[in-house]
Amino acid sequence: MTDRSTLKDHLAQQAVETGLSELLGLIAAACIDIRKVVSGGALAGVLGASGNVNVQDEEQKKLDVISNDILTEQLLASPLVAGVASEEMDNCQPATHDGGKYLVLFDPLDGSSNIDINAPVGTIFSVLAAPEGDITDVAFLQDGRQQLAAGYVLYGGQTMLVLTTGAGVAGFTLSLDGQWLLTHPEIRVTPDTKEFAINMSNQRHWAEGVQKYVAGCLAGAEGHRGKNFNMRWVAAMVADVHRIMMRGGVFLYPWDSREPNKPGKLRLMYEGNPMSFLVEQAGGKSTTDGRNAILDVTPTQLHQRVPVILGSANEIEEIARTCGV
Ligand code: F6P
């Protein structure tokens, strides 16, 4: 027995409307199934490539495909859901029934390059209201401020669900008997930090402002920032953002010049928007360039990419100053 609140209790306490609360329960349950498959690893024959590429020309891992199928099948079976869209599918998939109130977008298994090395991976999701009429890709092109809920599940040392419905951020840990129990009732991102996360191997491709900001961190106590910084990069956004949720920090996947026509690597609808909603709800900031909020970007395509800079509020301000915006 435990006196901790369950996910259901917590959502009821927050007066989240019944349909949304039920939908979040379904997403959380599907993620328990994904957790089980991920845990099987080599024993279950689920590691390695699937032999397919996704719409973004990236190699899909078997677990990307399995996780996508779990979420898609379970969500589309619910009368609450009008359609789903995923990083792993070319186009959205509308439900075959009428009357669904919600659209769900997800990155079914974020951090795919971690799968085969048994490093953390996760699921990221975003919930929108379904508009009237037919569900096509256009129905999903709503800006990040329209999100009704967003969250992620981190399949790490513990399995954790971190969730917002627009009234702060709460964290739940999956118990051994399969319940989501409230362990982090009010997650806040500390405003100051001495930790940054960026893929340093791209340094030569960054814009000048980002170069200057990171140079200031690397110069440490002897530089103009007057303090030493630590650097961390898990290469799974879920895990890097979770660290920021727990102890502050900044995460950058900025625009770079490798493919100048692509504004960034990460996807607005499956990564940028849900993570920005969570970070802002926890008191942090999230921006494309220091000035423009990710949540204000008007989406024009389902698989649109966006530069992402998010984390501790005062450090994001510093990045904005350094980048001259
Ligand atoms: O899908 C994107 C992703 O796997 C993120 O989860 C992660 O932050 C990033 O790519 C890692 O990129 P890179 O391979 O360049 O380090």
Side-chain angles (χ1 to χ4, degrees), residues 225-298:
R225 300 296 306 277
K227 58 183 185 179
N228 291 325
F229 277 78
N230 189 21
M231 204 276 287
R232 286 284 181 270
W233 188 249
V234 185
M237 189 190 195
V238 169
D240 280 311
V241 169
H242 189 66
R243 185 186 57 255
I244 290 170
M245 289 287 183
M246 295 294 108
R247 67 176 191 213
V250 286
F251 169 94
L252 301 93
Y253 215 118
W255 175 90
D256 70 42
S257 62
R258 279 175 294 174
E259 290 178 83
N261 297 331
K262 277 192 187 159
K265 175 177 183 189
L266 302 180
R267 285 72 173 180
L268 175 63
M269 306 306 288
Y270 318 109
E271 294 167 316
N273 275 342
M275 290 310 203
S276 299
F277 190 20
L278 286 160
V279 165
E280 286 200 3
Q281 282 293 317
K285 288 197 165 183
S286 168
T287 167
T288 54
D289 55 2
R291 178 176 43 188
N292 296 298
I294 290 176
L295 293 177
D296 290 330
V297 173
T298 304

Side-chain angles (χ1 to χ4, degrees), residues 5 38 44 82 152 164 215 315:
S5 301
V38 169
Y152 61 79
T164 184
E315 195 63 17

Side-chain angles (χ1 to χ4, degrees), residues 46-64:
V46 295
L47 301 186
S50 71
N52 301 324
V53 291
N54 65 15
V55 63
Q56 296 147 99
D57 237 7
E58 295 162 338
E59 181 193 67
Q60 283 179 317
K61 304 276 186 181
K62 285 184 198 165
L63 275 171
D64 288 322

Side-chain angles (χ1 to χ4, degrees), residues 82-165:
V84 299
S86 155
E87 187 174 307
E88 302 301 341
M89 306 190 311
D90 295 6
N91 296 102
C92 78
Q93 214 169 306
T96 49
H97 50 256
D98 291 331
K101 284 172 65 179
Y102 303 103
L103 300 177
V104 188
L105 299 105
F106 44 85
D107 177 354
L109 209 60
D110 173 66
S112 309
S113 66
N114 281 355
I115 290 175
D116 294 339
I117 59 165
N118 195 9
V121 288
T123 298
I124 309 173
F125 60 89
S126 161
V127 179
L128 297 168
E132 297 287 317
D134 287 350
I135 299 301
T136 62
D137 288 358
V138 175
F140 290 79
L141 302 182
Q142 306 181 31
D143 69 62
R145 304 244 178 245
Q146 310 299 317
Q147 292 175 101
L148 302 175
Y152 61 79
V153 172
L154 172 61
Y155 310 110
Q158 299 104 46
T159 300
M160 279 193 68
L161 164 68
V162 173
L163 181 67
T164 184
T165 53

